[in-house]
Each structure stands twice: as structure tokens, then as C-alpha cells.
Amino acid sequence: MWEHQSLFRVSAQLFAEGIFNLLDRNLRPEVFLLGFASSKEPDEPGAVIVEPATTRYSPLDFKDVKSKAATLETDTGPQGSVYHLHPNDHDRLAKHHWYELVCRATESTLQSLATSRHENRRSFCAVPVSLQGYLVTVVLQLSADCYDAYYNLPKSTAGRPTNLPHAAVIEFLHDCNRALREADTVDNDQPVLDRDYNELLRSAGRRLMLRVAPAGTHGLYDACNGVAALRHEGDEGVGTMLVSRRLHPAIVPVLTLETPVPMRDHRSIRKLLELSEGHTALISDASHVFGLGQLVPESDGQYEPLVTVHFTNHYSWEMSHAGHVLMRVVSNTPRLPQGQVAADNFARTARIVFPNLSLDSIDYLWDLAQKATTQPTGTILVISTGAAKEALRLTRQCFRVVPRIMTPSVLRLVTNIDGAVLIEPNGMCHAIGAILDGLATEKGDSSRGSRYNSALRYVNSSKYPALAVVVSEDGWIDLLPS
């Protein structure tokens, strides 16, 4: 398609890894390019280009994309009924509309391929960019299991993010398209993706807050950061704010301000936060704070889950909806909520590692895994069929205990010290505070701590089937093998 397409694809892949690894390493982003020749029929050689050519997709997989796009145009009705004063404006609108249809047809094709081939991938496509005779689209794929595990906002519409990963996807694809458009205008035609990863995530956070703000009011994300950065009489800002339109039927007013306070008045908002307590919260329409109120009980016919902003401590706040945390922001940097391992993912992995394990045993181990994830200083829970023999082998590197069934309450106590807890799949504990060993592996990650890498080495080199729940001090929770 163009000289530097391989360089751009590699750059986009590294860019995606940098962004989505900050959110969740299990998203495992994969980027490739698709090019549709503008002047060639679908059955002609070179009509479709896939970059890299070694990807699991071939040009034949996408030969019907243009015909699908034409079908979508027919289904959406006539598009030529709106005309603009200048013919160029109308042509530009028609061209952009066609590009969007190609994008939708490409996503539909990729979804069909993933379903038929049982691929655990969720695909997102950028609107194509016309570049040297090709419609070039950037395709981003993420792990479907991981992506779908995060809570989605209801009432989703096209182009509006449903959660933080989706907002990051939109920002990433916009950056890729910007780089491609620049490649078609500058002399060196080398697209550059050099945006700071955290800066992109901040833009994704703003986009998500814009999605939930009544009437699409801008500035809520930055206002929350400004409020969280202030102290009141030396105390950290802790409080709750409900985001809703004025006179929402699901809110019972407690106190109404005669003159609403603008959200840009951070000091006044910070002071008013002192009034929020328990179920009573500040009420804001993302533009002003106009009083205090309470959300009606779920049993009430007027009940509707509303977006809630919790100011947790200095420079920290989080946004939630219907009890689900959508993002946590610390020092103006949004992150996904860490601290839980998906129950279905744990059960699936446990069945793979221990095929003969009963459902009751998996449920019991799941209870233990959940308790391990609440340890604030980090810990490792190792479930191994050879736990007894491993405790004996690691005698000098652990505290062996008289075998006993591990319970969640006891696990909370024994994880207060460094080292791993060794238990059998039936819940029998044999050692605590174990220092794990193992052979070095290419799967290691130098950006992670010693706890994660030691557990990874141990699980990969263990001669017994083993499953490890790793809770790092920075909040990361990993299930090994993943």
C-alpha cells in the first residue's frame, strides 16, 4: 500500500501494548492493517492487502467487505436526500458515510470469522483513511474474555464509550487515523504515534465522563481532579457526588442551594463535600452543584441507577454506576478497578489444571482466592496436587504446618507474612510463608515485581499441576497459568 506500512503497523502494535497493558495485561492487544484498493474489483489480485501477511487472516477473508458495505447502505435508506450549499461539502459527507459503512462491514466480517473459528478476540476497526489508492483501516483486537468481563454502561449508542477500555479503544483508533492522515500530507510519509500513554488514558477518561454527563457537559473529569487535589482544613477530600439532571425523580432532595455552585469552583465544591455522609450526597448535573440529596431505594418505582463519583482521598476519586466501579483516578491518571478475579475465569482455569476437581471443590477454592485478593500488601496462594511434597522440599524456605483445611478466615491471618501459602486442591494447607523457586522462563515480565515473576517461574517449572493467585502490592491480580 505504501512504503512504510510495516513500520507503522509495528509502531501501532507497540503503542497499543503500552496503553492497554496499563489498563489490564490480560487484554493482550493485537494490531494489523487492512487495505481495500479503490480501483480494483474484489476478485482482482491486490484488491485486499493484509499487513502483516503472516497474520492468521488472508485477503480472501475480506473480499466481500465492499459488497456488505453496499448492503448496509441500502438498509439504512437513501443518503442523498440532504444536500449542502457547496457540492464539495456534499461529496465529502457522502465519502465519509461510505467509509463508515466499510468500517462496519469490516467489523461484522471479523466478528463472523471469530465466531466460526472460535477465536477469543473482540475486534475494533478505525474508519478507513484514503492513502495512495487504498482505503486503509487499522484493526485492533483484544481478548474477548477480559474485555467483556468489565461492566458496560447501559443505553449505549454508536461512537459513545461504554466503559474505560472502550474509551481507550476509541482514542487509540483516532490517534492511528491522525497519524495515517499526516502520512499522506508530510514529506517523509512516516506516520508517528508518539503520544504519552497516560495522556491518552486521560483523554479516554474525559471521553467516558462526557458520556455520562447530562446533556454532554464538558469538564466533569477535570473538575473532579481539581476537587480531589484540594484539602479542607488539612483534611483529605472524602465524599460522594451523584451526577444527574436537575429534578431527577430518583433523587430525594435533602438541601437545595439557592444559588448553584459551578463545578469550576473547586474550593467551594471541596468544602460542600464535607456535607455528604452515608446515603446523602452532593447532586450535580456536571455543570453545577445544586444541593444535597439521596437516591431512592431500589424498591421504589422511580429508582434508576445513577453515576456516582466517590472522592476517596487526596488526589484520588472513582466513578461508579449501579455499584460497579468504572474507573479509578489517582493523580489525574485513570485506571481500571483492580482487586477481583472473575469467577468464571477462575473456574475455567481450575478445570483445565485439575480436570477431576468437583464443582464444590472449585467453589471452595474460589472462596479462598477471593479472600486472598483482599490482602492489601500482596500475597500468593498456590494450589498444587503436590503441596505436601513441595512443603517438604522447601522446608528451609517456608513454615511447614500440621496439615489442616484452609478457611478464608485463617487465610486472612497467614497471608499477613511474606511468602506463598501452599494448599492442595481439596483445601488442605501444608505450608505458609513459602519462598518459591523455579526455572527462568521467557514468559517473565521485567516490569512486574518479584512476587509475580517468582510465582510464574514456579508454576511453569512445577512437576505437579499447580494454580497460583498472585496479589501484587500495586493492586495487580493475576491467575497463573493465565
Side-chain angles (χ1 to χ4, degrees):
M1 294 180 285
W2 84 98
E3 182 182 357
H4 300 288
Q5 64 184 38
S6 297
L7 177 63
F8 173 75
R9 204 277 309 172
V10 172
S11 176
Q13 176 66 41
L14 295 175
F15 190 46
E17 290 175 1
I19 295 163
F20 293 99
N21 283 350
L22 287 176
L23 291 178
D24 190 333
R25 287 176 173 82
N26 294 319
L27 285 169
R28 305 186 188 283
E30 184 177 342
V31 178
F32 64 93
L33 307 179
L34 281 175
F36 301 96
S38 303
S39 59
K40 293 184 179 181
E41 295 298 324
D43 54 351
E44 291 186 60
V48 180
I49 302 294
V50 181
E51 169 62 43
T54 55
T55 188
R56 59 181 173 275
Y57 299 112
S58 71
L60 290 177
D61 293 326
F62 304 97
K63 62 182 180 63
D64 296 327
V65 165
K66 286 186 177 180
S67 60
K68 281 187 178 181
T71 302
L72 289 173
E73 185 172 29
T74 303
D75 293 341
T76 55
Q79 299 297 323
S81 57
V82 178
Y83 288 90
H84 297 265
L85 293 177
H86 198 284
N88 289 344
D89 292 334
H90 182 74
D91 292 342
R92 185 161 51 249
L93 178 66
K95 186 182 295 184
H96 183 71
H97 176 66
W98 171 246
Y99 290 174
E100 288 181 334
L101 293 176
V102 171
C103 177
R104 288 171 53 193
T106 305
E107 285 187 345
S108 174
T109 299
L110 284 165
Q111 184 173 341
S112 299
L113 290 170
T115 302
S116 62
R117 299 177 182 181
H118 305 288
E119 294 176 339
N120 179 35
R121 307 300 285 169
R122 179 78 63 232
S123 299
F124 305 90
C125 299
V127 175
V129 173
S130 181
L131 187 61
Q132 298 189 17
Y134 282 87
L135 291 183
V136 181
T137 184
V138 179
V139 179
L140 170 67
Q141 292 188 317
L142 302 174
S143 167
D145 283 349
C146 182
Y147 181 84
D148 294 339
Y150 288 101
Y151 176 76
N152 286 323
L153 286 167
K155 301 178 182 178
S156 175
T157 56
R160 303 184 70 190
T162 57
N163 54 24
L164 185 59
H166 188 201
V169 167
I170 295 173
E171 288 291 330
F172 168 79
L173 294 177
H174 280 188
D175 266 35
C176 288
N177 271 9
R178 173 193 55 77
L180 285 175
R181 285 192 294 269
E182 289 177 356
D184 201 29
T185 56
V186 298
D187 294 335
N188 60 12
D189 71 356
Q190 296 186 36
V192 177
L193 292 166
D194 57 357
R195 194 177 182 189
D196 180 76
Y197 304 145
N198 285 316
E199 180 188 340
L200 185 142
L201 291 177
R202 284 190 284 271
S203 294
R206 291 186 183 94
R207 183 182 290 271
L208 182 61
M209 293 294 273
L210 180 63
R211 156 77 167 83
V212 302
T217 305
H218 288 267
L220 181 58
Y221 177 89
D222 293 306
C224 290
N225 278 319
V227 172
L230 297 176
R231 294 179 183 270
H232 177 63
E233 297 181 351
D235 293 333
E236 294 182 339
V238 177
T240 306
M241 181 174 68
L242 288 172
V243 181
S244 76
R245 68 179 187 272
R246 296 195 183 199
L247 303 178
H248 196 291
I251 292 179
V252 178
V254 174
L255 185 69
T256 302
L257 298 174
E258 186 172 278
T259 303
V261 178
M263 281 299 298
R264 64 177 178 274
D265 187 352
H266 301 162
R267 291 194 177 277
S268 296
I269 302 298
R270 168 65 191 87
K271 190 171 184 177
L272 287 171
L273 269 180
E274 298 294 318
L275 302 177
S276 66
E277 184 179 272
H279 296 293
T280 304
L282 292 184
I283 310 299
S284 172
D285 62 356
S287 178
H288 294 79
V289 167
F290 44 88
L292 289 168
Q294 295 181 352
L295 194 62
V296 299
E298 292 188 34
S299 57
D300 193 301
Q302 298 290 341
Y303 174 80
E304 178 184 334
L306 299 175
V307 169
T308 306
V309 177
H310 300 277
F311 295 91
T312 52
N313 48 53
H314 200 210
Y315 286 110
S316 300
W317 57 277
E318 62 185 36
M319 182 180 74
S320 60
H321 182 268
H324 300 274
V325 178
L326 288 165
M327 69 175 174
R328 290 196 170 108
V329 181
V330 180
S331 298
N332 193 19
T333 304
R335 292 288 186 268
L336 287 169
Q338 301 294 327
Q340 295 295 324
V341 175
D344 54 348
N345 187 35
F346 179 87
R348 180 171 57 252
T349 305
R351 282 193 293 269
I352 293 173
V353 178
F354 312 112
N356 299 323
L357 206 58
S358 67
L359 292 177
D360 289 340
S361 296
I362 291 177
D363 290 340
Y364 189 79
L365 292 176
W366 167 241
D367 290 339
L368 294 179
Q370 281 189 304
K371 179 57 66 174
T373 61
T374 64
Q375 175 54 259
T377 58
T379 190
I380 304 175
L381 175 65
V382 175
I383 307 165
S384 171
T385 57
K389 294 180 180 178
E390 286 294 276
L392 182 61
R393 183 178 69 84
L394 299 172
T395 297
R396 303 295 294 273
Q397 300 172 212
C398 70
F399 296 102
R400 293 175 61 196
V401 299
V402 176
R404 61 152 293 162
I405 293 293
M406 180 56 65
T407 62
S409 59
V410 174
L411 183 65
R412 181 182 61 83
L413 296 175
V414 300
T415 53
N416 285 329
I417 63 173
D418 291 338
V421 178
L422 293 178
I423 67 172
E424 293 179 329
N426 60 9
M428 191 70 69
C429 178
H430 293 272
I432 63 174
I435 307 301
L436 301 177
D437 56 10
L439 300 176
T441 170
E442 61 181 13
K443 297 180 181 179
D445 188 344
S446 59
S447 68
R448 303 297 302 276
S450 59
R451 182 178 282 118
Y452 170 84
N453 283 288
S454 63
L456 182 65
R457 288 194 301 268
Y458 179 82
V459 168
N460 281 353
S461 59
S462 175
K463 61 181 180 179
Y464 306 104
L467 177 64
V469 178
V470 184
V471 183
S472 301
E473 283 190 55
D474 61 3
W476 286 105
I477 295 176
D478 294 276
L479 194 60
L480 302 174
S482 59

